[in-house]
Amino acid sequence: MKIRYFDNAATTKVKKEVLDKMFPYLTQEYGNPSSLYKLGRIARAGVEEARKQVATLLNCDKNEIYFTSGGTESDNTALKGIMYLEKNKGKHIITSKIEHPAILNTCKTLEENGYKVTYLNVDKEGIINIEELNNCITKDTVLISIMFANNEIGSIQPIEKIGEIANKRGIIFHTDAVQACGNVAIDVRKLKIDMLSLSGHKIGAPKGIGALYVKNNIEFKNLIDGGHQERDKRAGTENVPGMVGLGEACKIAKSNMHKHIHQLKELRDAYFTQISNNLSDIKINGSIKYRLPGNSNISFKNMNGDELLARLDEKGICASAGSACSSGSHMPSHVLTAIGLTREYAEGTLRVTFGDDNTKEDVDYLVTNLIKIVQDARK
Ligand SMILES: *Cc1c(COP(=O)(O)O)cnc(C)c1O
């Protein structure tokens, strides 16, 4: 059976151009970038070209990019790297209730180590309140970490306003842009972002590679001790093919951004329209206006998300549920709880996230099957 993949927020397929670019670095160009002979210098050149490509996507300097093992490590490095270094200045972080576990669990560890964390509420569309942010800043606040766009419901935060406030109050602003990267135009200078996390496997590069942007004048402590790689900020022999792949993915993201956004939006909106027109008792979660182009998140009243996924899987359709059902507990996710979704809706949540490989025919196939599955279950 043909697989129809609608889980691009979970991971994406490595793009062909990315793989082609990586291939030589997995085969004949296998040098260690720290080696001074030619084979090493070729690997080094690959890494530095990739760094430039990542920087170009974000409109920053290449020396502001540090490669990591992915979004999770970038988030950990940003939060711990700043808080541990600045512990004498203050111990307060502001974040939101709907962050990815990479942020929330890092905050939990920091709390266990004597730090104080404020978790901002979000409204029913999943957007933070700027006034609330302003009001909870204290003289102890060192860092604000608010995700650019949410991985479950796709809502995009008022990043420019947050950057402005942080900048004015002398607080460092970090954003987890793992979902936003490549799907929203990001200019870290214009948006006054001090630190930003991104991940390869969400944008057509492999798993296990990511980057952290840190503005030039900001000091942070390294998490991993070892050699001098990444200007002493991330020890360990470089994942050269991964870095080269991430660079290429960023280059493609930049040149294709407009077309990519348009294409995903069109598929997503067709999906929203067809589902809304054919099924009652549904809720579209997240903001319509401030939303990732490829994200849809719909709750079907009195349905079971796990069952929906299983029925779709039988048809070769890959999608994601909106509750932590993997544990069998059927607890709505922290994001759906934060937007105030009632249980009768939350339990029947389906996240469908579109990607470059999806076609209109794929969407029709999805919609036809999904409508039938929901109607049959409700009979
Ligand atoms: C996927 C994701 C991460 C984690 O990135 P990894 O590279 O898988 O570690 C962090 N934040 C958000 C918003 C994500 O979607």
Side-chain angles (χ1 to χ4, degrees), residues 156 168 205 212 224 234 276 334 357:
I156 297 172
K168 212 179 282 169
L212 178 66
I224 313 268
R234 207 291 182 172
S276 308
H334 65 289
D357 287 347

Short mmCIF file of all heavy atoms in Angstrom, two decimals, residues 156 168 205 212 224 234 276 334 357:
data_model
loop_
_atom_site.label_atom_id
_atom_site.label_comp_id
_atom_site.label_asym_id
_atom_site.label_seq_id
_atom_site.Cartn_x
_atom_site.Cartn_y
_atom_site.Cartn_z
N ILE A 156 1.66 30.73 16.01
CA ILE A 156 2.89 31.52 15.95
C ILE A 156 2.79 32.65 16.97
O ILE A 156 1.81 33.38 17.00
CB ILE A 156 3.10 32.07 14.52
CG1 ILE A 156 3.26 30.90 13.54
CG2 ILE A 156 4.30 33.01 14.47
CD1 ILE A 156 3.29 31.30 12.07
N LYS A 168 14.44 45.83 25.52
CA LYS A 168 14.27 47.06 26.31
C LYS A 168 14.62 46.82 27.78
O LYS A 168 15.18 47.69 28.43
CB LYS A 168 12.81 47.53 26.17
CG LYS A 168 12.67 49.04 26.24
CD LYS A 168 11.22 49.48 26.08
CE LYS A 168 10.72 49.45 24.63
NZ LYS A 168 9.27 49.61 24.53
N ALA A 205 16.61 17.68 6.47
CA ALA A 205 17.98 17.20 6.73
C ALA A 205 17.84 15.99 7.68
O ALA A 205 16.74 15.69 8.15
CB ALA A 205 18.82 18.32 7.36
N LEU A 212 22.29 26.06 17.10
CA LEU A 212 21.89 27.10 18.05
C LEU A 212 22.52 28.40 17.57
O LEU A 212 23.72 28.46 17.37
CB LEU A 212 22.36 26.76 19.47
CG LEU A 212 22.03 27.80 20.55
CD1 LEU A 212 20.53 27.92 20.78
CD2 LEU A 212 22.73 27.44 21.87
N ILE A 224 28.67 20.32 26.93
CA ILE A 224 29.50 19.13 26.70
C ILE A 224 30.97 19.52 26.81
O ILE A 224 31.42 20.42 26.11
CB ILE A 224 29.24 18.56 25.28
CG1 ILE A 224 27.75 18.44 24.98
CG2 ILE A 224 30.01 17.24 25.06
CD1 ILE A 224 27.11 17.14 25.30
N ARG A 234 30.85 23.31 21.94
CA ARG A 234 30.20 22.03 21.75
C ARG A 234 31.26 21.03 21.32
O ARG A 234 31.53 20.89 20.12
CB ARG A 234 29.08 22.14 20.73
CG ARG A 234 27.96 21.13 20.89
CD ARG A 234 28.40 19.72 20.57
NE ARG A 234 27.31 18.77 20.68
CZ ARG A 234 27.40 17.49 20.30
NH1 ARG A 234 28.52 17.03 19.81
NH2 ARG A 234 26.38 16.71 20.43
N SER A 276 -14.53 20.65 7.51
CA SER A 276 -15.57 21.50 8.10
C SER A 276 -16.90 21.34 7.37
O SER A 276 -17.96 21.38 7.98
CB SER A 276 -15.17 22.98 8.05
OG SER A 276 -13.90 23.16 8.59
N HIS A 334 -0.43 18.71 27.19
CA HIS A 334 -0.34 19.97 27.94
C HIS A 334 -0.75 21.16 27.09
O HIS A 334 -1.24 22.15 27.61
CB HIS A 334 1.09 20.14 28.50
CG HIS A 334 2.14 20.32 27.44
ND1 HIS A 334 2.55 19.29 26.60
CD2 HIS A 334 2.86 21.40 27.07
CE1 HIS A 334 3.49 19.76 25.79
NE2 HIS A 334 3.69 21.03 26.05
N ASP A 357 6.17 17.02 -0.19
CA ASP A 357 5.88 15.88 -1.06
C ASP A 357 4.39 15.59 -1.18
O ASP A 357 3.98 14.79 -2.02
CB ASP A 357 6.59 14.61 -0.53
CG ASP A 357 8.09 14.66 -0.78
OD1 ASP A 357 8.53 15.54 -1.57
OD2 ASP A 357 8.82 13.85 -0.19
#
